Amino acid sequence: MMRDDNCIFCKIAAGEIPSKTIYEDDSYRVILDLGPATRGHALILPKDHYANLFQLPEEKCAEVMKLAKKMGTQMKENLKADGFNLVQNNGECAGQTVFHFHLHLIPRYENDGQKIGWTVGNPSSEELEEIRNRIMGE
Ligand code: AMP
Ligand code: ZN
């Protein structure tokens, strides 16, 4: 296993720190978040240490999304959720607080009072064009 001895999620994923585990296999552990946004808020943790999405190997990206669908379906049915958010933060300015890749699984309920979002911008067509060109390296 690739691990970082100072990383709390490495320890949780390895089972060295107890957690409320809702799924486990050789490569992943899915746990309930201790500071949940909603009832059932969970985290998919790879057992190997990757700091963020950019370090996560491509094949793991696909595995994580498949696992999100499987767990999301199970949670939606068994918790009677009305909707679902997937959230994944990279970098401190993006709200990442634990620097071991994780995908948030957040069941949503009508009138759950939670807000996951942003204030909506209003760029001009020229600004969007400039951004588009920049992203595409033109
Ligand atoms: P992020 O802000 O995306 O890095 O998310 C970190 C998440 O990990 C937060 O939602 C925390 O509530 C959660 N968290 C931190 N420590 C633990 C822990 N020991 N067990 C379960 N969840 C944790
Ligand atoms: Zn780690």
Side-chain angles (χ1 to χ4, degrees):
M1 280 288 149
M2 267 177 52
R3 61 176 286 154
D4 174 339
D5 284 334
N6 298 315
C7 172
I8 181 160
F9 280 5
C10 279
K11 294 189 178 106
I12 291 173
E16 294 160 17
I17 294 180
S19 63
K20 297 291 185 202
T21 295
I22 58 173
Y23 175 86
E24 186 184 5
D25 63 24
D26 287 348
S27 308
Y28 298 94
R29 182 185 293 271
V30 185
I31 64 166
L32 292 184
D33 195 303
L34 284 185
T38 63
R39 180 175 158 82
H41 182 169
L43 304 170
I44 296 181
L45 311 179
K47 291 190 173 178
D48 280 326
H49 181 87
Y50 307 103
N52 54 44
L53 177 67
F54 304 103
Q55 291 194 0
L56 190 70
E58 256 185 43
E59 68 275 9
K60 300 239 169 183
C61 295
E63 287 171 10
V64 166
M65 195 51 87
K66 271 174 119 170
L67 187 52
K69 177 168 163 132
K70 174 187 157 76
M71 296 311 295
T73 303
Q74 189 177 337
M75 292 159 79
K76 210 166 167 303
E77 285 175 8
N78 294 344
L79 294 173
K80 308 262 177 283
D82 302 304
F84 217 88
N85 290 114
L86 298 181
V87 176
Q88 202 275 306
N89 301 324
N90 298 281
E92 207 172 331
C93 76
Q96 187 175 10
T97 59
V98 181
F99 294 88
H100 174 126
F101 174 92
H102 52 280
L103 179 63
H104 292 263
L105 308 177
I106 308 179
R108 298 304 302 272
Y109 309 91
E110 268 164 44
N111 307 314
D112 63 22
Q114 269 298 350
K115 270 203 290 267
I116 294 165
W118 49 84
T119 18
V120 175
N122 185 25
S124 65
S125 174
E126 290 73 20
E127 282 174 280
L128 288 176
E129 183 65 17
E130 194 275 324
I131 295 161
R132 171 186 173 277
N133 292 340
R134 174 118 3 179
I135 292 168
M136 296 181 74
E138 288 169 5

